[in-house]
Amino acid sequence: MERGNQFIGESGAFLDAVERASRAAMLNRPVLVIGERGTGKELIAERLHRLSSRWDGPLITLNCAALPETLIEAELFGHEAGAFTGATRARQGRFEEADGGTLFLDELATLSSAAQERLLRAVEYGEITRIGSSRAIKVDVRIVAATNEHLPELVDQGRFRADLLDRLSFEVVTLPPLRVREGDVMVLADFFGRRMAAELDWPDWPGFGAMATEAMKRHSWPGNVRELRNVVERAVYRWDDPDRKVDHIVFDPFESPWKPQPSRRPAAADTPCDEVIDAALSDSGVRATLDQSMNFDTVDDLRGAVDAHEKRILQAALARHRYNQRQTAKALGLSYDQLRHCLKKHDLLG
């Protein structure tokens, strides 16, 4: 089974977006592709190119977020030798490389204001100027741009040029997230599962068991199709019996009983006592014991109840460590000064 990118889905929302892109493909106009991460924006850009009259020309892709602001203009428009430090020879930019074809600008919203201004001229007049040159170069390029931001809102905030948005938004294709694509989760899961099984040389594809199917249907898929593909392929490759239905799904590959714990943020010596104790409770396991012993129905003074429990924790810890304050502080995850601050608050220094 081919590993090439393909459109898989049956839901009306998904098919409508694909149809809109297909209709726009033949027109030599800019297209904006909007969607969350993992929804297939680059696939739509490729479809727009392949179905256009430019299909035999180059399809050049640039991720605008992958380059620092100081280099993005040189990458887009090229530069002459000596234009800046390190520019030892002249170099074409992506616009010149895409001449006669399509330029796909991913993460469009991350472009700097200067790059936006130069891009506006390229879209408006079909010409670019390399950095370090005064000679304009004519280019025949169709722009397809993608973002996961709401560009009109960025215009209102002054972060994106309104005139550039006007010129790029001849057609806007908004891709639906996977969570609203009714029925597509299992269609995609079966496709990715079959593909992974073939890669592993399984004799047949057994499908998914009831537990795995239900888990995938309930998941919200924040990473959309990209996340689904990773989850399915990981589940198949970890499954040891190709003759049984795959019935174990791991959504978070980082989940482990041995995963590193986050470093405790050192608290300042003047951190309020209740905040210090709360942090210590969370780390020490005392919180669970307290919660089990408290009768929440009888609490009518929250501050007083919290103070009383803090004092009990301190008294118990002091007694357990024979009133050695340094050992008590260490056991509670506090500095010596923090413990003294808490003891003073509860009048336990005497």
Side-chain angles (χ1 to χ4, degrees):
M1 189 175 292
E2 294 183 4
R3 289 206 55 89
N5 293 328
Q6 301 182 48
F7 280 108
I8 307 294
E10 301 175 350
S11 71
F14 171 72
L15 295 178
D16 285 347
V18 174
E19 173 62 20
R20 175 169 290 193
S22 302
R23 292 186 62 183
M26 293 304 297
L27 300 176
N28 192 28
R29 296 290 191 279
V31 176
L32 279 177
V33 185
I34 312 296
E36 297 179 6
R37 62 187 177 95
T39 49
K41 296 187 289 295
E42 190 164 354
L43 283 177
I44 288 291
E46 185 174 344
R47 186 177 188 85
L48 286 162
H49 176 71
R50 299 302 175 198
L51 294 181
S52 74
S53 59
R54 299 170 178 266
W55 63 269
D56 58 345
L59 171 60
I60 304 298
T61 298
L62 175 65
N63 185 333
C64 300
L67 293 171
E69 184 177 331
T70 53
L71 293 180
I72 189 68
E73 292 183 64
E75 192 69 24
L76 274 173
F77 307 108
H79 60 78
E80 298 292 348
F84 50 84
T85 303
T88 57
R89 58 185 178 86
R91 181 180 180 279
Q92 284 188 343
R94 299 299 176 94
F95 265 96
E96 290 179 78
E97 293 175 3
D99 192 28
T102 303
L103 176 59
F104 175 50
L105 301 177
D106 200 6
E107 303 288 351
L108 176 73
T110 63
L111 278 181
S112 67
S113 57
Q116 289 179 36
E117 184 174 354
R118 293 175 68 100
L119 178 59
L120 174 63
R121 181 171 183 82
V123 175
E124 182 75 6
Y125 300 106
E127 61 182 32
I128 56 101
T129 303
R130 291 182 183 177
I131 295 177
S133 172
S134 59
R135 182 175 63 89
I137 301 173
K138 281 288 186 180
V139 289
D140 175 21
V141 174
R142 184 198 194 172
I143 301 291
V144 177
T147 182
N148 58 7
E149 299 270 8
H150 185 53
L151 292 178
E153 184 176 327
L154 298 190
V155 169
D156 292 340
Q157 297 171 2
R159 294 166 51 196
F160 200 84
R161 293 183 63 112
D163 45 4
L164 178 58
L165 181 59
D166 289 340
R167 286 162 178 79
L168 292 179
S169 57
F170 169 79
E171 179 60 285
V172 178
V173 178
T174 303
L175 297 177
L178 183 57
R179 60 183 174 274
V180 304
R181 291 172 53 178
E182 187 174 354
D184 280 356
V185 168
M186 294 316 301
V187 171
L188 285 158
D190 186 72
F191 172 78
F192 293 133
R194 288 178 182 275
R195 194 171 67 175
M196 192 64 186
E199 185 175 330
L200 296 172
D201 293 323
W202 285 12
D204 291 297
W205 166 236
F208 291 102
M211 290 178 57
T213 298
E214 184 60 26
M216 286 190 285
K217 287 181 177 179
R218 289 199 314 265
H219 190 60
S220 62
W221 300 109
N224 292 293
V225 179
R226 186 183 298 121
E227 180 191 3
L228 174 62
R229 183 189 64 205
N230 288 338
V231 166
V232 167
E233 290 182 349
R234 182 166 57 243
V236 174
Y237 118 84
R238 288 182 177 181
W239 193 248
D240 294 329
D241 188 353
D243 296 324
R244 292 172 48 235
K245 291 180 180 294
V246 178
D247 212 15
H248 181 65
I249 295 291
V250 176
F251 294 107
D252 182 4
F254 294 97
E255 186 59 42
S256 168
W258 304 285
K259 65 183 177 182
Q261 296 300 310
S263 301
R264 181 182 300 154
R265 180 173 59 88
D270 60 350
T271 299
C273 184
D274 53 346
E275 292 184 20
V276 172
I277 289 291
D278 192 60
L281 288 175
S282 298
D283 290 343
S284 66
V286 178
R287 171 70 72 195
T289 304
L290 270 181
D291 287 348
Q292 294 172 3
S293 64
M294 291 175 65
N295 183 356
F296 295 106
D297 294 335
T298 64
V299 174
D300 55 8
D301 178 3
L302 177 61
R303 183 70 267 167
V306 171
D307 286 345
H309 281 289
E310 285 180 359
K311 185 172 183 178
R312 286 169 53 197
I313 293 165
L314 291 167
Q315 289 172 323
L318 284 168
R320 189 165 61 252
H321 295 283
R322 303 191 179 199
Y323 296 91
N324 184 311
Q325 293 182 8
R326 294 197 179 276
Q327 289 185 14
T328 301
K330 184 177 180 180
L332 289 176
L334 308 177
S335 70
Y336 178 73
D337 289 336
Q338 289 167 349
L339 178 66
R340 295 280 298 180
H341 180 83
C342 294
L343 294 177
K344 182 178 179 181
K345 173 188 172 183
H346 294 290
D347 197 22
L348 294 175
L349 284 175

